[in-house]
């Protein structure tokens, strides 16, 4: 049975080949599908109209039903009906797989940065801003790379009673981090959590231009005054721009300095404590303190750090990598007409990090958590991993810091 991968659906699938009884649906596939290619890759259609022997699913009738659908269609003559309820069989892994292109090995190396997995989905009842699914690719060595179906991949952000397209860039799958052989892909796998009822249609690869890794080039200045007012001459001019504000960095041998100018209609609402301060107004900052490490690593190294600043409440500073509060931090927040400004000085020693060295490359990510009026997080905005969640467990999602000499 599959284990769960942290960061997806509260720690989704990680590894381990599926070894369980499966069921297969069969009809003769259509031979008249239009052929196309992306960078020479022609096996673009994963599912189109016909459920064939390429599709399998977990045998657990009380928990999952996968059927051909001939009435509720996005296009063509057929779709897939999927009803699932994890709680009806909680000890069993629920999922399905499609070994498209007749279970042959597929080489997707030429489309990793130029294509996305696309499918259309329609809820049978209600609506949702995401699907409690993990979607993965498995090679013939049983190595797997997974990602979740979050709002950033859903066109329009919500799935309801109308057909909605889901687009997941192939670059969102951590193939390299989990040693997946992208030249020999066996199948697409879907894991189901929670419960739901949907129709799915037109699963295929489409052209998609991946965004490049963000880079921030910063030259350190003398220590700024920490008063919550971002003085023009106190901070490097280079900013990391997010959809809800900006961040600036500075550092010296003793401290890491952070400044933010955030747009927030209800700033300073956070009644959480400790590791839960993300669930309200908060700032998060993840970074490496060692250069030369693999920027595509999918796990935290000892030199990787993730700290958060509670905006409101008791203004706690928390280090998720050590599981402890951070001491001796000087921080100030000032409310503005449209949100707030923030400044902090974090001693390197307080987070067990070595100071950055000028003229080198590091990795980093910024995030802003915005609460609603009830005090729980309503949204998160990120700098580099704008459409993919999980930077808190996967440094491959971070951008690049260039410390100018």
């Amino acid at each position: 049975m599959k284990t769960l991968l942290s960061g997806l659906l509260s720690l989704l699938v990680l590894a381990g080949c599926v070894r369980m009884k499966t069921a297969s649906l069969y009809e003769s596939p259509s031979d008249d599908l239009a052929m196309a290619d992306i960078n020479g890759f022609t096996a673009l259609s994963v599912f189109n109209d016909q459920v064939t022997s390429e599709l399998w699913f977990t045998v657990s009738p009380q928990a999952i039903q996968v059927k051909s659908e001939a009435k509720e269609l996005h296009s063509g003559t057929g779709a897939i009906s999927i009803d699932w309820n994890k709680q009806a069989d909680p000890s069993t892994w629920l999922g399905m797989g499609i070994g498209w292109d007749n279970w042959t090995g597929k080489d997707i190396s030429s489309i990793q940065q130029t294509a996305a997995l696309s499918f259309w989905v329609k809820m049978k009842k209600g609506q949702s801003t995401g699907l409690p699914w993990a979607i993965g690719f498995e090679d013939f060595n049983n190595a797997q790379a997974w990602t979740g179906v979050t709002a950033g991949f859903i066109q329009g952000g919500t799935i309801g009673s109308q057909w909605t397209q889901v687009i997941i860039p192939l670059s969102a799958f951590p193939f390299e981090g989990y040693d997946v052989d992208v030249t020999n892909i066996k199948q697409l796998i879907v894991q189901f959590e929670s419960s739901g009822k949907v129709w799915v249609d037109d699963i295929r690869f489409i052209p998609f231009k991946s965004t490049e890794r963000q880079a921030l080039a910063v030259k350190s200045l003398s220590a700024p005054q920490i008063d919550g007012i971002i003085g023009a001459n106190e901070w490097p001019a280079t900013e990391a721009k997010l959809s809800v504000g900006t961040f600036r960095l500075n550092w010296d041998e003793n401290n890491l300095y952070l400044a933010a100018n955030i747009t927030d209609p209800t700033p300073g609402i956070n009644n959480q404590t400790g590791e839960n301060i993300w669930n309200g107004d908060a700032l998060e900052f993840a970074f490496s303190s060692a250069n030369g490490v693999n920027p595509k690593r999918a796990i935290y190294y000892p030199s990787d750090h993730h700290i958060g600043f509670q905006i409101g409440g008791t203004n706690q500073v928390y280090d998720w990598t050590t599981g402890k509060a951070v001491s001796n931090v000087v921080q100030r927040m000032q409310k503005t007409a449209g949100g707030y400004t923030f400044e902090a000085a974090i001693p390197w020693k307080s987070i067990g990090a070595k100071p950055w060295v000028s003229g080198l490359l590091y990795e980093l990510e910024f995030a802003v958590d915005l609460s609603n009026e009830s005090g729980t997080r309503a949204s998160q905005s990120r700098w580099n991993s704008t459409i993919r969640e999980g930077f808190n467990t996967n440094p491959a999602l971070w951008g690049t810091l260039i410390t100018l000499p």
Side-chain angles (χ1 to χ4, degrees), residues 1-6 12-18 93 138 142-146 178 191:
M1 176 176 157
K2 293 187 188 291
T3 56
L4 297 182
L5 173 63
S6 63
L12 285 177
V13 186
L14 172 57
C17 179
V18 178
W93 182 86
E138 182 180 64
N142 303 323
Q144 303 158 356
W146 295 85
Y178 292 98
Q191 171 176 312

Side-chain angles (χ1 to χ4, degrees), residues 114-333:
T114 58
L117 178 70
S118 166
F119 61 92
W120 292 80
V121 62
K122 180 179 178 180
M123 303 286 288
K124 296 184 180 180
K125 184 178 180 180
Q127 64 180 26
S128 176
T129 56
L131 289 172
W133 297 1
I135 293 183
F137 289 94
E138 182 180 64
D139 66 18
F140 276 90
N141 293 319
N142 303 323
Q144 303 158 356
W146 295 85
T147 193
V149 185
T150 56
F153 298 139
I154 298 169
Q155 303 306 291
T158 302
I159 301 170
S161 60
Q162 302 297 316
W163 283 102
T164 301
Q165 189 177 24
V166 177
I167 299 176
I168 307 177
L170 290 185
S171 59
F173 294 88
F175 295 109
E176 185 171 340
Y178 292 98
D179 296 323
V180 176
D181 183 358
V182 294
T183 69
N184 196 24
I185 295 296
K186 178 171 62 176
Q187 64 176 328
L188 175 75
I189 310 176
V190 181
Q191 171 176 312
F192 303 110
E193 294 290 338
S194 188
S195 63
K197 297 181 179 183
V198 299
W199 294 288
V200 176
D201 202 356
D202 296 336
I203 308 173
R204 62 185 293 107
F205 295 97
I206 63 172
F208 184 90
K209 184 177 180 181
S210 297
T211 57
E212 296 295 329
R213 182 186 291 259
Q214 295 265 35
L216 184 69
V218 180
K219 181 179 177 63
S220 64
L221 303 177
S222 58
Q225 181 179 354
I226 304 301
D227 54 11
I229 302 173
I230 305 173
N233 298 322
E234 293 183 310
W235 292 88
T238 308
E239 296 179 324
K241 297 182 180 180
L242 287 70
S243 62
V244 296
T246 60
F247 283 86
R248 296 191 191 192
L249 285 176
N250 197 2
W251 74 95
D252 56 30
E253 291 185 357
N254 298 314
N255 297 299
L256 167 63
Y257 304 102
L258 182 71
N261 188 347
I262 305 301
T263 300
D264 183 351
T266 58
I269 301 178
N270 190 323
N271 298 317
Q272 308 294 329
T273 59
E275 65 180 4
N276 296 316
I277 63 171
W278 59 269
N279 195 19
D281 283 328
L283 302 176
E284 300 184 40
F285 180 46
F287 65 97
S288 62
S289 58
N291 79 301
V293 296
N294 181 5
K296 295 183 179 181
R297 62 194 182 281
I299 60 174
Y300 271 48
Y301 285 6
S303 55
D304 293 329
H305 310 270
H306 178 204
I307 58 177
F309 304 86
Q310 181 186 27
I311 304 300
T314 57
N315 299 307
Q316 295 183 26
V317 182
Y318 192 80
D319 185 343
W320 284 286
T321 47
T322 63
K324 298 179 180 179
V326 182
S327 59
N328 301 317
V329 175
V330 179
Q331 59 179 320
R332 297 289 185 273
M333 187 268 277

Side-chain angles (χ1 to χ4, degrees), residues 49-120:
D49 293 341
Q50 304 295 332
V51 176
T52 74
S53 58
E54 295 176 341
L55 186 148
W56 61 267
F57 60 95
T58 305
V59 174
S60 179
Q62 72 273 29
I64 183 171
Q65 297 179 24
V66 179
K67 302 176 181 179
S68 297
E69 173 62 39
K71 294 182 179 180
E72 292 289 345
L73 310 174
H74 173 255
S75 67
T77 60
I80 307 173
S81 169
I82 307 172
D83 297 357
W84 76 98
N85 183 353
K86 175 66 174 176
Q87 295 306 311
D89 192 356
S91 63
T92 299
W93 182 86
L94 292 186
M96 73 176 193
I98 305 177
W100 83 102
D101 202 32
N102 201 28
W103 290 98
T104 58
K106 278 76 66 176
D107 182 354
I108 64 171
S109 60
S110 65
I111 63 170
Q112 275 186 269
Q113 303 301 322
T114 58
L117 178 70
S118 166
F119 61 92
W120 292 80

Side-chain angles (χ1 to χ4, degrees), residues 2-26:
K2 293 187 188 291
T3 56
L4 297 182
L5 173 63
S6 63
L8 302 176
L9 302 173
S10 298
L11 310 181
L12 285 177
V13 186
L14 172 57
C17 179
V18 178
R19 290 289 179 264
M20 59 184 68
K21 184 179 180 183
T22 62
S24 187
L25 301 177
Y26 181 78

